[in-house]
Amino acid sequence: MSFYKELRRYNWEEVRRSIYRKTPAEVERALGKDWPDLEDFKALLAPAADAFLEPMAQQSAALTRRRFGRTMQLYLPLYLSNFCENRCVYCGFSGSNPIRRKVLNEEEILAEVRTIKQEPFRHLLLVTGEAPQKAGTAYLEQVLRLLQPAFSQLSLEVQPLDTSDYARLAEARLHAVYVYQETYNEATYPQYHPFGRKANFRYRLETPDRLGAAGIRKVGLGTLIGLEDWRTEAWFTALHLQYLRRRYWQSRYSLSFPRLRPFAGEGFQPRVLTNERDLTQLICAYRLFDADVELSLSTRERPAYRDGVVPLGITALSAGSKTGPGAYSGNHELEQFAVNDERSPREVAEMLRRQGFEPVWKDWEPCLQQAATI
């Protein structure tokens, strides 16, 4: 059994139509439930829920404060490589994009760390393009062991790996893995991923199954907002989350909201436009559906929006992000996409304090997780 078999039980277009048929009465009924189910989640995602955004936001904010308190995790991505064998049409790292390529060596990684450690970060997200021959399991294991003395927790956002690879990296104290399906629409997936290992829809989809089997502590899910209908994508993401919670209950889960941003290359344009109000509805709907899931918002979004949505359900923010290998120590030519919030980590932390939040510079300690459920 894997999530692929679960996914095949549903038809994308039928789910989409069901969401768009939801009525205001069904939205109100969903808002009145302590434990909304997947059918209620459709109502919270529906166009009909737009008129209820204010009560959704109020409930989402209250639920988040009860579950997570007034803390906000801050993290930083460190890009190790921009080599990629895939040809994703929306990404600056695409193998067909004629940009300069780089894999950081040990000395270059330590140069990045010296700059990063000028800030209080203790949680680092390690990112690569998808090119196992350039930055595969052995390289990632080496980097994890190199950085262990400097950081409390290390996470990965890299190419999908086999279960045995994840188990090996877990031995090197890997904390979390973030793997985004990009789209759950199997019919259109090849249009965005025409070449490379990422073209294998099923292998990518089953990555969280392999993570759960390997005992990885936290698994991050998400889709690329702008490829397909965001409401339908969100419902299938929630289906995936619910499946994983039942099967791999020992792991924690997080959701991210990457929206397409400008990048070097041919300039793929989003097929489906989403505005900030849509994104706010999506964040609140997820929180009302799952009180325990961690919700992360990146520097893809503009500062004023991030400041405004922080109290409504977000539990983690990136801050001071650079999106290319070597960028923290001065190389800004190799970025994957343009960031929108260019404030320093300390500026973001000060914004949080003004709103009554306490910045947390590493992922939640297990003891805090246990205490929050008592």
Side-chain angles (χ1 to χ4, degrees), residues 240-258:
H240 200 173
L241 174 64
Q242 188 177 84
Y243 161 87
L244 292 168
R245 283 209 184 280
R246 289 196 306 262
R247 191 168 179 85
Y248 308 105
W249 54 267
Q250 304 96 328
S251 297
R252 291 158 43 210
Y253 297 94
S254 74
L255 298 174
S256 298
F257 305 92

Side-chain angles (χ1 to χ4, degrees), residues 155-169:
S155 302
L156 290 180
E157 186 180 327
V158 301
Q159 66 270 0
L161 303 171
D162 292 338
T163 305
S164 59
D165 294 310
Y166 287 128
R168 175 179 170 182
L169 296 176

Side-chain angles (χ1 to χ4, degrees), residues 6 31 38 78 93 113 125 140 151-153 157 160 162 195 235 239 298 318 322 327 343-344 353 364:
E6 177 78 3
L31 285 172
L38 281 166
L78 171 57
F93 283 2
V113 168
L125 174 63
L140 296 171
F151 297 95
S152 299
Q153 286 136 344
E157 186 180 327
D162 292 338
F195 181 84
W235 189 85
L239 178 72
S298 76
S318 55
K322 309 292 184 185
R343 291 176 294 182
S344 72
R353 293 189 183 98
W364 320 104

Side-chain angles (χ1 to χ4, degrees), residues 209-249:
D209 278 287
R210 298 192 297 275
L211 290 166
I216 297 299
R217 297 179 188 178
K218 185 165 80 170
V219 178
L221 305 176
T223 60
L224 184 57
I225 299 174
L227 297 185
E228 295 290 328
D229 177 68
W230 64 268
R231 305 173 201 272
T232 312
E233 293 282 21
W235 189 85
F236 279 102
T237 306
L239 178 72
H240 200 173
L241 174 64
Q242 188 177 84
Y243 161 87
L244 292 168
R245 283 209 184 280
R246 289 196 306 262
R247 191 168 179 85
Y248 308 105
W249 54 267

